[in-house]
Amino acid sequence: MGTTNPLASLLGRSPFKPMQEHMRKVVLCAQLVPALFDALEQDDRETLNQVKASIFELEHQADALKNDLRAHLPNSLFMPVARRDLLELLEVQDAIADSAQEIAGMLTLRVDLVPPAGMCGAFKALAQHCVRTCEKAGEAIEQLDELLETGFGGRESERVQRLLGEVGTLESETDKLGIALCQSLFEREKDLNPVITIMLYQMIREIGELADNAEKVGDRLRLLIAR
Amino acid sequence: MEIIQEHGTIFMFLAIIFGLYMCWGIGANDVANAMGTSVGSGAITVKQAILIAAVFEFAGAFIAGGQVTKTIRKGIIDPAPIANNPELLVYGMLAALLAAAIWLMIASSKGWPVSTTHTIVGAIVGFAVVGIGPDAVKWQKISTVAASWIVSPIVGGGIAYMLMISIRKLILNTDNPFQSARKWGPLYVFMVGFITALVTLWKGLKHLKLDFSMAESFFISALIGLIVAYMGKRMIDKVKLDVEADREYHFASVEKVFMPMMVFTACAMAFAHGSNDVANGIGPLAAVVSIVQSGGEVAQKASLPVWILVLGGVGIVIGLATMGHKVMQTIGTKITELTPTRGYCATLASAVTVVLASKTGMPVSTTQIAVGAVMGVGFARGIGALDMRVIGGIFLSWLVTLPAGGLLAAAIFFIIKGIFGS
């Protein structure tokens, strides 16, 4: 007898586990960004391209997870959170991977796009700080199943709010690092190729995007809990 | 009258065969559904589920199964118009049994989540309309049965919702959820024993010659609850805090506390199911037996022989042991969304609702109530996602079941009538 249990089919696929899986992938993707600057500093083109390839691969995997998750959220699904909020959270999670991909793509675009002598470390430090912000947001996303258990309220939601507070703090620190980096770039402008200079400013902004998107993940998560 | 006397033994024999067939079908399919939440949440293994079901289904059928059997036997149709042709009622009940059993098998093989209760009610109504006339059907009673199909899942859902909220308040949202779980766990186990016993005793166990007053019922139920709570406490005390697992998921240890508690709700569920659904198999059987044994009298006051209840219980257990384990195995791997806390709420709520309905004699659908209870947990924001499309499909399969059972029963009725004459 090929019985399908009515309960088994009633319980739709919970979106929370795949949400977490996606976020893990995205964070892995971001974590590779500092390695790009390591490779640049040592002028190791081979490693640079390898890291870039890994980032592209992870971004691709995250995309697949995203599309799969979207496909499994039909309108008929009754969830403890608003469907729209969940999809928007997914969107901003994915934007982190997109930023990482953008950085990797830019850095491998042309061989002369290299931070000026002595600045590679500062770029890497900014990237690392942004990665930490992403990791913190990832930590908050890891609490989704606990949040589900407590009905998105109570102590668990306080715990998540605290984590999100830390995400905010980290993000504003990355802003400061970014501005400092821009200033030191400004001081060296006269010795640099103008096109490269513009691209480096863009690079700083793009690295900052990692943290910005992590903060957006936090904001979306707040909305999810707020109802 | 002559037909009954002439073929009485054959009718009895057929009734027992068909009744066993039906009970086997109930055991093979329905019990597995009833136990699904417990197996799915990982609280008990398939083997344990079969053992629990065997004991408690039987107990439920034997101790509390009488009321619903009565409703199935004589609550749905009024046999007065055919008092002079009692064989028609015998044909009809035989037809209803066979039709329901066949439909149940078809539906199970197709994977439709039909209810045994809907099947048998539809079948009885079906033969009554063609065999006796639409007036013979107690439509009033049918409408209350139909109403219960809406009301009982809502009641089940409501209880599950409140249980979920209470667990959250008392356990999950505290400083130390694990300690709170250990503290309140025995109370939740007490509730399982107390409420199940209370609703069982409520109307007295007349066929067992036991009749308790309200106060006595409360006292006995509290006693049973305390015994069960003590057993639960012993089991809960063995659960150790798992720091490693808690890092991964903060409530891992709390869920472990609920694992042994699920054993009790599984017992209650099996008991509830036995008390309600066994009647679907043995109700018609009992009707045939009473007519044959009284020599053709459509007796209204026949009591239910205990051996019939036993037969029903045995049939269910055989069905469970032969087919049910397969069904449960597939379910066990599918319902991973039901953690022990959620499973506990859904199962206890279903069990209470089913016994409550059983004691009022209402033939309710166990599957339907279980679906309602799971939705209750979902509405308490306790489940990741409920697929509401499925509700439509489930509902449809239940609606189809009524006419399907009815038409099948009508056809078989005419075949039997053709064989034995009237």
Side-chain angles (χ1 to χ4, degrees):
Chain A
M1 274 190 253
T3 310
T4 40
N5 183 270
L7 296 175
S9 43
L10 175 64
L11 293 163
R13 224 177 67 170
S14 165
F16 296 101
K17 284 259 178 288
M19 277 306 271
Q20 294 175 327
E21 244 172 80
H22 177 264
M23 188 62 182
R24 273 173 224 143
K25 216 40 116 190
V26 162
V27 171
L28 278 180
C29 202
Q31 280 167 335
L32 286 177
V33 171
L36 290 169
F37 293 97
D38 266 341
L40 272 185
E41 197 167 26
Q42 282 149 23
D43 199 23
D44 183 351
R45 286 280 147 189
E46 201 179 322
T47 310
L48 184 72
N49 283 321
Q50 269 170 10
V51 176
K52 176 208 161 183
S54 305
I55 289 178
F56 272 61
E57 170 60 22
L58 281 167
E59 194 274 345
H60 183 70
Q61 289 174 6
D63 261 350
L65 282 173
K66 180 184 73 177
N67 292 332
D68 187 48
L69 187 52
R70 277 182 182 158
H72 282 93
L73 281 183
N75 279 320
S76 61
L77 224 47
F78 176 81
M79 294 182 293
V81 295
R83 191 182 120 85
R84 205 190 145 140
D85 288 346
L86 204 65
L87 287 173
E88 280 172 0
L89 176 60
L90 183 65
E91 202 66 55
V92 288
Q93 283 185 185
D94 206 57
I96 295 177
D98 290 341
S99 303
Q101 191 185 31
E102 187 74 20
I103 296 165
M106 269 173 91
L107 282 180
T108 48
L109 196 62
R110 43 192 284 183
V111 285
D112 57 346
L113 180 64
V114 177
M119 276 189 75
C120 240
F123 270 83
K124 190 183 154 194
L126 173 66
Q128 276 170 334
H129 212 83
C130 289
V131 169
R132 266 199 288 285
T133 317
C134 295
E135 286 167 344
K136 196 51 95 176
E139 229 178 280
I141 295 293
E142 288 298 333
Q143 308 297 309
L144 272 178
D145 27 1
E146 280 89 352
L147 278 170
L148 175 64
E149 198 69 35
T150 56
F152 296 85
R155 273 153 224 269
E156 197 53 46
S157 103
E158 284 162 28
R159 197 200 309 261
V160 173
Q161 302 277 10
R162 261 201 309 280
L163 275 173
L164 296 183
E166 291 171 39
V167 172
T169 314
L170 283 169
E171 195 275 337
S172 52
E173 284 167 12
T174 63
D175 279 347
K176 282 179 203 139
L177 284 177
I179 291 167
L181 200 51
C182 283
Q183 271 165 348
S184 55
L185 190 62
F186 170 69
E187 284 158 19
R188 295 164 201 236
E189 253 177 25
K190 56 185 184 305
D191 306 323
L192 295 170
N193 171 329
V195 176
I196 292 293
T197 310
I198 287 175
M199 287 182 82
L200 284 173
Y201 278 121
Q202 269 182 6
M203 175 70 62
I204 294 168
R205 186 186 302 162
E206 200 58 57
I207 299 171
E209 280 292 299
L210 286 173
D212 284 347
N213 286 321
E215 195 185 30
K216 281 186 196 150
V217 166
D219 291 342
R220 289 288 160 198
L221 190 54
R222 267 203 197 89
L223 280 181
L224 215 66
I225 303 169
R227 273 156 220 263
Chain B
M1 293 290 177
E2 301 81 48
I3 296 175
I4 297 279
Q5 267 138 20
E6 196 181 329
H7 301 295
T9 325
I10 297 177
F11 291 147
M12 287 270 277
F13 179 72
L14 284 177
I16 290 172
I17 296 294
F18 293 170
L20 269 174
Y21 181 26
M22 177 71 183
C23 287
W24 175 84
I26 296 171
N29 183 41
D30 220 31
V31 177
N33 286 344
M35 303 297 281
T37 43
S38 313
V39 179
S41 64
I44 54 174
T45 64
V46 173
K47 262 201 190 122
Q48 286 168 327
I50 291 175
L51 201 70
I52 287 172
V55 174
F56 284 88
E57 286 278 343
F58 189 81
F62 185 69
I63 295 172
Q67 293 288 338
V68 182
T69 310
K70 204 163 114 193
T71 306
I72 295 281
R73 191 152 50 109
K74 49 196 185 189
I76 295 171
I77 52 173
D78 175 16
I82 49 162
N84 294 323
N85 299 78
E87 69 277 3
L88 287 184
L89 194 59
V90 172
Y91 300 162
M93 285 299 181
L94 288 175
L97 266 183
L98 191 58
I102 290 172
W103 174 247
L104 207 58
M105 266 198 43
I106 294 173
S108 297
S109 66
K110 297 274 183 198
W112 298 332
V114 301
S115 149
T116 52
T117 308
H118 296 190
T119 312
I120 198 74
V121 171
I124 290 176
V125 171
F127 100 77
V129 168
V130 297
I132 312 175
D135 292 342
V137 180
K138 293 182 184 168
W139 295 108
Q140 189 78 38
K141 187 82 184 175
I142 299 290
S143 65
T144 55
V145 172
S148 83
W149 289 336
I150 308 285
V151 174
S152 56
I154 293 177
V155 172
I159 298 175
Y161 181 90
M162 287 187 293
L163 279 171
M164 193 73 208
I165 300 288
S166 82
I167 287 178
R168 224 171 253 162
K169 266 228 148 62
L170 294 178
I171 296 172
L172 299 175
N173 274 338
T174 56
D175 286 327
N176 191 337
F178 180 68
Q179 282 306 326
S180 308
R182 281 168 62 114
K183 187 170 107 195
W184 293 105
L187 178 79
Y188 281 100
V189 178
F190 173 84
M191 271 182 353
V192 179
F194 178 72
I195 298 176
T196 314
L198 188 64
V199 276
T200 307
L201 293 175
W202 220 318
K203 288 212 161 180
L205 304 166
K206 293 195 184 77
H207 71 284
L208 293 178
K209 308 281 182 288
L210 291 171
D211 211 350
F212 300 108
S213 71
M214 200 64 162
E216 283 168 335
S217 298
F218 262 97
F219 181 74
I220 295 170
S221 306
L223 206 64
I224 293 175
L226 283 176
I227 294 169
V228 178
Y230 176 72
M231 288 161 60
K233 190 170 162 36
R234 297 278 308 260
M235 290 160 82
I236 289 170
D237 283 347
K238 284 190 195 134
V239 180
K240 293 275 172 287
L241 187 69
D242 189 342
V243 183
E244 203 48 52
D246 278 0
R247 223 191 310 276
E248 198 55 36
Y249 177 62
H250 299 324
F251 301 118
S253 295
V254 174
E255 295 293 355
K256 286 200 177 118
V257 175
F258 272 81
M259 289 272 208
M261 288 164 62
M262 282 290 288
V263 176
F264 295 97
T265 51
C267 296
M269 193 64 219
F271 181 87
H273 183 267
S275 75
N276 184 76
D277 286 45
V278 74
N280 298 331
I282 63 170
L285 163 61
V288 173
V289 168
S290 100
I291 294 168
V292 172
Q293 281 184 340
S294 64
E297 213 171 308
V298 186
Q300 281 291 354
K301 263 194 78 75
S303 66
L304 178 68
V306 169
W307 67 265
I308 291 184
L309 279 171
V310 174
L311 194 82
V314 170
I316 285 187
V317 173
I318 294 174
L320 185 65
T322 52
M323 295 294 305
H325 66 104
K326 269 193 202 153
V327 183
M328 265 192 281
Q329 231 131 27
T330 49
I331 291 171
T333 55
K334 273 185 191 159
I335 313 187
T336 47
E337 293 292 325
L338 277 183
T339 55
T341 42
R342 295 169 195 156
Y344 172 87
C345 297
T347 320
L348 177 59
S350 321
V352 169
T353 313
V354 175
V355 260
L356 199 65
S358 298
K359 291 316 289 177
T360 61
M362 200 66 80
V364 290
S365 161
T366 317
T367 3
Q368 200 174 35
I369 292 176
V371 167
V374 168
M375 286 180 66
V377 178
F379 280 114
R381 298 179 92 180
I383 289 178
L386 294 174
D387 195 342
M388 297 312 236
R389 256 181 323 188
V390 176
I391 302 280
I394 293 172
F395 206 75
L396 199 68
S397 84
W398 286 332
L399 279 185
V400 170
T401 292
L402 291 177
L407 290 174
L408 212 53
I412 296 172
F413 173 78
F414 285 121
I415 294 172
I416 297 178
K417 197 173 161 190
I419 295 172
F420 293 101
S422 62

